[in-house]
Amino acid sequence: MILAVFVLVVVAAVSIFWTALSVGIAPLPTTRRVRSAMFELLPNEATGEVHELGAGWGALAFPLADRYPSSVVVAWEASPVPFAFCWLRQRLRPRPNLVLRLGDFLSADLRRAGIVTCYLFPKGMERLDAKLGEELPAGAVVISNTFALRRRTPSASIVVADLYRTHVFRYDWVTGPLGGGVDTTQLGVLRRL
């Protein structure tokens, strides 16, 4: 029995490590303070689907499903072990509006998204920027943990008072020359939580 548990732990660790190497980031949970900042920047209501890109262990996906019970919340995760954890959590305490997807966020269909949240990495944000420009409808909101969309101007941002001084960015999507963009006429104030 001990050997079986040890083998399972090793296989899980190798799986997480391998996926982190291939994707570019390990599945890190969103901390409580950062989640609070993200929720502060979220709209009160969702007008469309809510997509959590890089759901990891579900630290944000499940609270999003609770916050927007009348919207479909689609949580995307590429790493099998955190995805399995979310799947088990969904089986034990189901959220009827939460849909879990194992796979790359680039396969997500964002044309019906009203809200997109993400905790990715710089190269992932570049790929996401191009995808958002092609698919995201005007009026949608993008909330990003730590990493900015470099070609875009956030409409609001918060610096979290944590060890890393984590930045959280909000982008209000409008039509623009890049196939999407943000309304820069009403920029939010950068502040600390």
Side-chain angles (χ1 to χ4, degrees):
M1 178 66 171
I2 294 174
L3 180 61
V5 171
F6 176 74
V7 168
L8 183 62
V9 168
V10 169
V11 168
V14 168
S15 172
I16 291 170
F17 181 73
W18 182 259
T19 304
L21 282 178
S22 63
V23 173
I25 190 171
L28 301 171
T30 301
T31 66
R32 188 170 290 166
R33 282 185 177 179
V34 173
R35 183 173 62 232
S36 176
M38 293 177 82
F39 271 63
E40 187 172 325
L41 292 177
L42 283 167
N44 292 329
E45 295 182 18
T47 57
E49 295 175 348
V50 177
H51 285 261
E52 160 66 330
L53 309 180
W57 305 94
L60 188 60
F62 287 86
L64 282 170
D66 293 339
R67 175 157 176 165
Y68 300 112
S70 60
S71 296
V72 174
V73 176
V74 185
W76 291 86
E77 178 53 46
S79 185
V81 175
F83 175 83
F85 180 84
C86 288
W87 180 87
L88 181 61
R89 184 175 172 186
Q90 175 71 340
R91 294 299 172 263
L92 295 174
R93 294 194 58 209
R95 303 321 198 267
N97 61 326
L98 179 60
V99 177
L100 302 173
R101 295 277 187 248
L102 177 61
D104 190 338
F105 67 84
L106 291 175
S107 62
D109 181 358
L110 301 177
R111 292 175 293 177
R112 292 183 304 275
I115 298 172
V116 174
T117 64
C118 57
Y119 183 13
L120 300 173
F121 52 101
K123 190 166 202 103
M125 292 301 285
E126 287 177 26
R127 288 185 270 167
L128 178 60
D129 194 346
K131 181 172 183 61
L132 294 173
E134 294 173 10
E135 296 180 24
L136 199 63
V141 172
V142 177
I143 306 290
S144 179
N145 176 354
T146 306
F147 302 103
L149 293 167
R150 300 228 179 230
R151 299 187 314 162
R152 317 268 179 197
T153 303
S155 53
S157 62
I158 295 174
V159 177
V160 179
D162 62 3
L163 178 65
Y164 304 105
R165 307 195 46 77
T166 304
H167 286 75
V168 177
F169 303 95
R170 175 179 168 147
Y171 300 88
D172 293 290
W173 217 255
V174 296
T175 304
L178 298 172
V182 294
D183 181 357
T184 58
T185 62
Q186 299 186 18
L187 295 177
V189 177
L190 185 67
R191 56 185 195 74
R192 303 177 201 295
L193 258 188

